[in-house]
Amino acid sequence: MERNPMRRQLAIMRQSLFDQGHVDEQFVQLEELQDDANPNFVEEVVTLYYRDSARIILNIEQALERKPFDFRKLDAYMHQFKGSSSSIGAKKVKAESTLFREYCKSGNGEGCMRSFQQLKKEYATLRKKLGAYFQLARQAGPVETASRPK
Amino acid sequence: MAPTLPSSDQASDQDNWDNGRLARKRQLLIEIVLRNKLTALVVDGDTTCRVLEQLLLRSYGVQTQGVDNGRDAVALIASGVKLDLIIIDMILPVLNGLETTRQIRDMGVHCKMLGVTICSRESERQVFLAAGVDVFIEKPLDPEHLVPILRELDGQ
């Protein structure tokens, strides 16, 4: 496949990540930290996020199996997860994290469980979309970047 | 890799918005040139956040180290390390961010402390400020908040 059509496809894919609300401007911030010395930086950070956040997801799942719910602990886990998600610009995941914390605050166990299920869906969807995006980006190859002073 | 941009005749409103924000952010990244060597410590239990905050600081030439819990932060500062800036999360393993902040201030450390955390309540913000952070910033840390602080620390 020629590079230019791939580049166009990549741009469309990137745009849809924003248009569909999966990522916010923090994702642009990550892209800004990427340069010739670190051409796969964004992918590496997202990989790091999914690796580390898997542990938090598991902790929350286990905590939701124990009754009565320890809302303080659940909130603390979600605090970390939300922070991590916000740092990569995961907009929908972050929104569900906020909702979960609201349910923790009000002691609504059913709400926590519902919200957590939705959060996991958004988390998985984002992973799939970003995975496809990075795969295409690697195929398309690097673009010229304007150099900025270090 | 700069963000991929479609050709101008295909640019949507979203593209123009993105390009505008990106241009402003690039300006923030380019504008600041530090005259002095600044040092910083990032205290965050989350690896992704800690790595990104350190990278952001380093992109401005700030010499930065990171620890993942409050106890190690206190120990590092107690060892005599001089810092211009500390970035600290509220919820930390081992020793929480509030207590860590208090202990750092109790040691007589007066450097700038930024509480960078996820916050949903005004009361949390006030508690963190009362513990001793100078500025409260909601995650994620971004150049728009960071650059003016670096300029101030650099005496610009």
Side-chain angles (χ1 to χ4, degrees), chain A residues 7-8 11, chain B residues 4-12 15-16 19:
Chain A
R7 282 268 140 223
R8 273 196 286 276
Chain B
T4 309
L5 301 174
S7 58
S8 57
D9 61 354
Q10 294 171 5
S12 65
D15 294 329
N16 290 332
N19 294 347

PDB file of all heavy atoms in Angstrom, chain A residues 7-8 11, chain B residues 4-12 15-16 19:
ATOM      1  N   ARG A   7      -1.185   7.382   4.904  1.00  0.00           N
ATOM      2  CA  ARG A   7      -1.133   8.567   5.768  1.00  0.00           C
ATOM      3  C   ARG A   7      -2.526   9.184   5.896  1.00  0.00           C
ATOM      4  O   ARG A   7      -2.904   9.635   6.978  1.00  0.00           O
ATOM      5  CB  ARG A   7      -0.174   9.612   5.153  1.00  0.00           C
ATOM      6  CG  ARG A   7       1.286   9.278   5.376  1.00  0.00           C
ATOM      7  CD  ARG A   7       1.800   9.931   6.645  1.00  0.00           C
ATOM      8  NE  ARG A   7       2.668   9.034   7.365  1.00  0.00           N
ATOM      9  CZ  ARG A   7       2.635   8.859   8.689  1.00  0.00           C
ATOM     10  NH1 ARG A   7       1.796   9.527   9.423  1.00  0.00           N
ATOM     11  NH2 ARG A   7       3.478   8.035   9.263  1.00  0.00           N
ATOM     12  N   ARG A   8      -3.249   9.183   4.791  1.00  0.00           N
ATOM     13  CA  ARG A   8      -4.609   9.750   4.838  1.00  0.00           C
ATOM     14  C   ARG A   8      -5.507   8.891   5.714  1.00  0.00           C
ATOM     15  O   ARG A   8      -6.301   9.394   6.502  1.00  0.00           O
ATOM     16  CB  ARG A   8      -5.190   9.864   3.427  1.00  0.00           C
ATOM     17  CG  ARG A   8      -4.839  11.165   2.720  1.00  0.00           C
ATOM     18  CD  ARG A   8      -5.742  11.402   1.524  1.00  0.00           C
ATOM     19  NE  ARG A   8      -5.399  10.531   0.409  1.00  0.00           N
ATOM     20  CZ  ARG A   8      -4.431  10.816  -0.465  1.00  0.00           C
ATOM     21  NH1 ARG A   8      -3.748  11.930  -0.382  1.00  0.00           N
ATOM     22  NH2 ARG A   8      -4.165   9.990  -1.460  1.00  0.00           N
ATOM     23  N   ALA A  11      -4.728   9.611   9.271  1.00  0.00           N
ATOM     24  CA  ALA A  11      -5.302  10.887   9.717  1.00  0.00           C
ATOM     25  C   ALA A  11      -6.791  10.724  10.015  1.00  0.00           C
ATOM     26  O   ALA A  11      -7.308  11.270  10.991  1.00  0.00           O
ATOM     27  CB  ALA A  11      -5.084  11.958   8.655  1.00  0.00           C
TER      28      ALA A  11
ATOM     29  N   THR B   4      -0.618  13.676  12.422  1.00  0.00           N
ATOM     30  CA  THR B   4      -0.874  13.677  10.989  1.00  0.00           C
ATOM     31  C   THR B   4      -2.011  14.634  10.684  1.00  0.00           C
ATOM     32  O   THR B   4      -3.066  14.577  11.308  1.00  0.00           O
ATOM     33  CB  THR B   4      -1.289  12.268  10.550  1.00  0.00           C
ATOM     34  OG1 THR B   4      -0.325  11.354  11.048  1.00  0.00           O
ATOM     35  CG2 THR B   4      -1.347  12.198   9.047  1.00  0.00           C
ATOM     36  N   LEU B   5      -1.809  15.495   9.685  1.00  0.00           N
ATOM     37  CA  LEU B   5      -2.830  16.466   9.341  1.00  0.00           C
ATOM     38  C   LEU B   5      -3.307  16.219   7.924  1.00  0.00           C
ATOM     39  O   LEU B   5      -2.501  15.981   7.024  1.00  0.00           O
ATOM     40  CB  LEU B   5      -2.253  17.881   9.433  1.00  0.00           C
ATOM     41  CG  LEU B   5      -1.698  18.279  10.798  1.00  0.00           C
ATOM     42  CD1 LEU B   5      -1.020  19.627  10.715  1.00  0.00           C
ATOM     43  CD2 LEU B   5      -2.813  18.312  11.826  1.00  0.00           C
ATOM     44  N   PRO B   6      -4.590  16.263   7.708  1.00  0.00           N
ATOM     45  CA  PRO B   6      -5.092  16.119   6.338  1.00  0.00           C
ATOM     46  C   PRO B   6      -4.747  17.368   5.527  1.00  0.00           C
ATOM     47  O   PRO B   6      -4.403  18.403   6.092  1.00  0.00           O
ATOM     48  CB  PRO B   6      -6.608  16.000   6.515  1.00  0.00           C
ATOM     49  CG  PRO B   6      -6.889  16.608   7.837  1.00  0.00           C
ATOM     50  CD  PRO B   6      -5.655  16.477   8.659  1.00  0.00           C
ATOM     51  N   SER B   7      -4.857  17.288   4.203  1.00  0.00           N
ATOM     52  CA  SER B   7      -4.572  18.451   3.361  1.00  0.00           C
ATOM     53  C   SER B   7      -5.602  19.543   3.616  1.00  0.00           C
ATOM     54  O   SER B   7      -6.700  19.278   4.103  1.00  0.00           O
ATOM     55  CB  SER B   7      -4.592  18.061   1.882  1.00  0.00           C
ATOM     56  OG  SER B   7      -5.869  17.505   1.567  1.00  0.00           O
ATOM     57  N   SER B   8      -5.213  20.791   3.324  1.00  0.00           N
ATOM     58  CA  SER B   8      -6.014  21.931   3.782  1.00  0.00           C
ATOM     59  C   SER B   8      -7.436  21.906   3.218  1.00  0.00           C
ATOM     60  O   SER B   8      -8.371  22.327   3.886  1.00  0.00           O
ATOM     61  CB  SER B   8      -5.327  23.240   3.382  1.00  0.00           C
ATOM     62  OG  SER B   8      -5.148  23.262   1.982  1.00  0.00           O
ATOM     63  N   ASP B   9      -7.622  21.400   1.998  1.00  0.00           N
ATOM     64  CA  ASP B   9      -8.978  21.433   1.465  1.00  0.00           C
ATOM     65  C   ASP B   9      -9.869  20.380   2.111  1.00  0.00           C
ATOM     66  O   ASP B   9     -11.069  20.332   1.868  1.00  0.00           O
ATOM     67  CB  ASP B   9      -8.972  21.285  -0.067  1.00  0.00           C
ATOM     68  CG  ASP B   9      -8.364  19.953  -0.503  1.00  0.00           C
ATOM     69  OD1 ASP B   9      -7.852  19.220   0.362  1.00  0.00           O
ATOM     70  OD2 ASP B   9      -8.389  19.654  -1.699  1.00  0.00           O
ATOM     71  N   GLN B  10      -9.273  19.533   2.964  1.00  0.00           N
ATOM     72  CA  GLN B  10     -10.094  18.528   3.645  1.00  0.00           C
ATOM     73  C   GLN B  10     -10.232  18.849   5.133  1.00  0.00           C
ATOM     74  O   GLN B  10     -10.865  18.124   5.859  1.00  0.00           O
ATOM     75  CB  GLN B  10      -9.456  17.141   3.509  1.00  0.00           C
ATOM     76  CG  GLN B  10      -9.428  16.639   2.088  1.00  0.00           C
ATOM     77  CD  GLN B  10      -8.601  15.371   1.952  1.00  0.00           C
ATOM     78  OE1 GLN B  10      -8.124  14.823   2.932  1.00  0.00           O
ATOM     79  NE2 GLN B  10      -8.389  14.935   0.735  1.00  0.00           N
ATOM     80  N   ALA B  11      -9.580  19.959   5.602  1.00  0.00           N
ATOM     81  CA  ALA B  11      -9.545  20.219   7.037  1.00  0.00           C
ATOM     82  C   ALA B  11     -10.941  20.490   7.559  1.00  0.00           C
ATOM     83  O   ALA B  11     -11.670  21.328   7.056  1.00  0.00           O
ATOM     84  CB  ALA B  11      -8.626  21.403   7.328  1.00  0.00           C
ATOM     85  N   SER B  12     -11.316  19.777   8.608  1.00  0.00           N
ATOM     86  CA  SER B  12     -12.624  19.958   9.218  1.00  0.00           C
ATOM     87  C   SER B  12     -12.486  20.979  10.342  1.00  0.00           C
ATOM     88  O   SER B  12     -11.394  21.405  10.686  1.00  0.00           O
ATOM     89  CB  SER B  12     -13.103  18.631   9.787  1.00  0.00           C
ATOM     90  OG  SER B  12     -12.239  18.250  10.838  1.00  0.00           O
ATOM     91  N   ASP B  15     -10.306  19.575  12.873  1.00  0.00           N
ATOM     92  CA  ASP B  15      -8.897  19.668  12.521  1.00  0.00           C
ATOM     93  C   ASP B  15      -8.365  21.059  12.829  1.00  0.00           C
ATOM     94  O   ASP B  15      -7.271  21.222  13.369  1.00  0.00           O
ATOM     95  CB  ASP B  15      -8.684  19.398  11.022  1.00  0.00           C
ATOM     96  CG  ASP B  15      -9.024  17.965  10.667  1.00  0.00           C
ATOM     97  OD1 ASP B  15      -8.854  17.090  11.526  1.00  0.00           O
ATOM     98  OD2 ASP B  15      -9.470  17.743   9.528  1.00  0.00           O
ATOM     99  N   ASN B  16      -9.155  22.079  12.465  1.00  0.00           N
ATOM    100  CA  ASN B  16      -8.716  23.445  12.702  1.00  0.00           C
ATOM    101  C   ASN B  16      -8.586  23.719  14.196  1.00  0.00           C
ATOM    102  O   ASN B  16      -7.651  24.373  14.650  1.00  0.00           O
ATOM    103  CB  ASN B  16      -9.694  24.452  12.074  1.00  0.00           C
ATOM    104  CG  ASN B  16      -9.627  24.415  10.561  1.00  0.00           C
ATOM    105  OD1 ASN B  16      -8.589  24.083   9.997  1.00  0.00           O
ATOM    106  ND2 ASN B  16     -10.713  24.744   9.901  1.00  0.00           N
ATOM    107  N   ASN B  19      -5.496  21.946  15.340  1.00  0.00           N
ATOM    108  CA  ASN B  19      -4.298  22.627  14.873  1.00  0.00           C
ATOM    109  C   ASN B  19      -4.037  23.885  15.684  1.00  0.00           C
ATOM    110  O   ASN B  19      -2.902  24.210  16.015  1.00  0.00           O
ATOM    111  CB  ASN B  19      -4.412  22.987  13.384  1.00  0.00           C
ATOM    112  CG  ASN B  19      -4.455  21.744  12.507  1.00  0.00           C
ATOM    113  OD1 ASN B  19      -4.162  20.650  12.971  1.00  0.00           O
ATOM    114  ND2 ASN B  19      -4.845  21.908  11.261  1.00  0.00           N
TER     115      ASN B  19
END
